[in-house]
Amino acid sequence: MSHPMLASANHDETTEQLFVRDLQYWLYTEVEPHERQIAEELDPGLSHNARAEEVFDKLHKEPAFLGWSNMRRTTQELLWDSVWNCVDRQAGELDAKASEAAEIGSLTLAEDFQVPDYLEDAHVHLMPGGYGSDTDGVRQGALMDRGGAVYMLGRNGGFLNDGRGKAVAAHLASCYPDFQPEKLVELGCGVGSSVIPVAEAYPKAEAYAVDVGASVLRYAHARAAHLGAAIHFVQDDAEKTRFEDESFDLLFTAAVMHETSPEAIQNILKESHRLLRKGGIAVHLEVPVKYETLDLWSQVIAGVERDYNNEPAWQEATSADYGALMTAAGFEDVKVGFQDAVLGPDMSASKFGEESKGVFLSWFVTSGRK
């Protein structure tokens, strides 16, 4: 499935994007095993206090690793370049489609908004301009939406990019089956792909979504309207929003924490508690890995993601003790585990438990009640 706001690729653009995707896949499946072998040969042993960090440093003296990591970053830059050319070619058409969207939901942009430093200084995933860039019209949102679909090889819900939102809805159905919120909000909504399936799960609830970028939010509002979803989009900082205390019954994030900072993770959890009414529920979804359970190479990859793919808090977000952090923020009945990805129309097939089935097959989730 797709939607009217998604930038369409012509023959040459499609070919280029598929080439980059296949090149990335080749690097991951054919070349990466050789880098893993080099890392294992450099392993100082389990008793070393900074085992992964030691190997990561040593790998930078290995020509093979330097070449592989350079190609890995270059293919990511090529991906965004190919998608940007595609979006820029039809920028006028996309702005026109945005203006033709139904007048449902709302869009509230802030004057002189200050994007957090960890997003302003590092364009996450190497996306040009990052989330906070206020390019004309809806171009930055269009770049993020199509780029995300290509980057994730369609494994996050195809061109709807809504797999994470469906997993949040499935978690709520699994763990809080009688919960019926009247007002919900997503912090760090991006193009709004996750908030829509959650809002659809609670059609009587008033739905809000927050992010930092004006262009991304213009796109998100038009995208949601074309899909018939009445979402109220607001430009704000997830660490300290302008909403009043106890404004919502349900609050969630979807793969936001690893793109913030260690301090921001704690601040967002505290803000989650402040914004919820008594009895409200917070759900925070992240990538389905726990750093301490990873093998040596996967821990090295965390450093690669941090340094070469501009994922500023990857290691911190995947090693955080969310049970303790949620409890410290004031939440009760805290749950920590993995929610199966929703891979078809039957949401009940998604189970919550202690086992991760792997990337795009599971999502790490922590939740709690105020």
Side-chain angles (χ1 to χ4, degrees):
M1 294 181 64
S2 186
H3 58 85
M5 286 304 302
L6 187 71
S8 59
N10 61 31
H11 175 274
D12 289 353
E13 291 162 347
T14 299
T15 301
E16 183 177 9
Q17 290 168 20
L18 290 177
F19 166 76
V20 174
R21 182 201 67 180
D22 291 346
L23 180 56
Q24 287 183 324
Y25 185 76
W26 176 75
L27 286 172
Y28 297 150
T29 59
E30 298 296 327
V31 182
E32 187 172 315
H34 299 283
E35 308 311 313
R36 175 190 287 270
Q37 182 178 349
I38 295 172
E40 291 171 349
E41 292 171 355
L42 296 172
D43 185 5
L46 290 170
S47 62
H48 196 282
N49 290 331
R51 183 181 174 215
E53 292 81 359
E54 175 80 7
V55 172
F56 185 73
D57 289 341
K58 288 182 176 179
L59 281 169
H60 285 77
K61 298 180 176 63
E62 297 289 336
F65 176 81
L66 294 175
W68 171 80
S69 58
N70 180 279
M71 288 186 67
R72 195 177 190 270
R73 183 180 175 96
T74 299
T75 58
Q76 186 75 333
E77 293 171 340
L78 284 172
L79 182 150
W80 288 116
D81 183 68
S82 67
V83 174
W84 176 252
N85 290 334
C86 168
V87 168
D88 193 52
R89 172 180 59 81
Q90 53 199 300
E93 298 172 31
L94 292 170
D95 287 341
K97 287 181 181 179
S99 66
E100 295 166 0
E103 294 183 7
I104 58 175
S106 65
L107 173 63
T108 303
L109 301 179
E111 294 184 7
D112 301 321
F113 182 78
Q114 181 59 50
V115 176
D117 290 342
Y118 51 78
L119 294 179
E120 182 72 20
D121 297 337
H123 298 169
V124 180
H125 301 298
L126 306 185
M127 182 174 75
Y131 298 140
S133 178
D134 186 14
T135 54
D136 293 339
V138 300
R139 278 187 289 185
Q140 196 68 7
L143 173 70
M144 182 180 175
D145 202 12
R146 184 164 187 93
V150 177
Y151 177 59
M152 291 181 278
L153 309 179
R155 294 172 293 180
N156 184 40
F159 282 123
L160 285 180
N161 282 327
D162 61 356
R164 291 177 291 220
K166 287 182 176 179
V168 170
H171 178 75
L172 289 161
S174 298
C175 298
Y176 308 94
D178 299 324
F179 182 56
Q180 290 296 323
E182 295 180 0
K183 193 174 179 181
L184 64 87
V185 64
E186 178 185 10
L187 301 182
C189 67
V191 298
S193 54
S194 293
V195 70
I196 291 177
V198 177
E200 288 175 342
Y202 302 106
K204 294 182 180 180
E206 189 177 8
Y208 286 76
V210 169
D211 212 297
V212 299
S215 178
V216 167
L217 288 170
R218 290 189 203 102
Y219 179 89
H221 181 225
R223 181 186 186 280
H226 274 292
L227 287 169
I231 312 294
H232 301 288
F233 291 93
V234 179
Q235 186 179 25
D236 214 337
D237 185 345
E239 293 185 64
K240 49 182 185 301
T241 69
R242 290 163 291 163
F243 295 115
E244 295 181 358
D245 293 356
E246 300 184 349
S247 292
F248 301 96
D249 306 295
L250 169 62
L251 179 149
F252 75 95
T253 64
V256 165
M257 301 302 187
H258 72 272
E259 298 180 353
T260 58
S261 72
E263 296 78 13
I265 292 171
Q266 296 186 46
N267 291 338
I268 291 171
L269 294 180
K270 293 176 183 177
E271 181 70 351
S272 301
H273 191 269
R274 182 186 76 82
L275 291 177
L276 284 175
R277 298 164 181 158
K278 184 66 176 178
I281 293 171
V283 180
H284 297 289
L285 175 148
E286 256 301 338
V287 293
V289 297
K290 295 299 291 176
Y291 185 81
E292 65 272 14
T293 68
L294 297 176
D295 62 20
L296 173 63
W297 175 246
S298 297
Q299 290 184 348
V300 169
I301 286 293
V304 174
E305 290 288 346
R306 179 193 65 227
D307 292 353
Y308 303 134
N309 198 29
N310 289 5
E311 301 279 13
W314 182 275
Q315 185 169 333
E316 288 82 357
T318 57
S319 59
D321 184 347
Y322 285 98
L325 290 175
M326 289 282 282
T327 300
F331 288 98
E332 300 177 352
D333 187 28
V334 175
K335 296 175 173 55
V336 178
F338 297 92
Q339 187 73 39
D340 293 343
V342 178
L343 302 176
D346 182 12
M347 193 170 291
S348 67
S350 173
K351 306 299 182 184
F352 179 70
E354 297 181 356
E355 179 185 1
S356 171
K357 296 179 180 177
V359 178
F360 294 109
L361 297 176
S362 298
W363 294 98
F364 172 80
V365 175
T366 184
S367 63
R369 192 186 294 270
K370 180 173 179 178

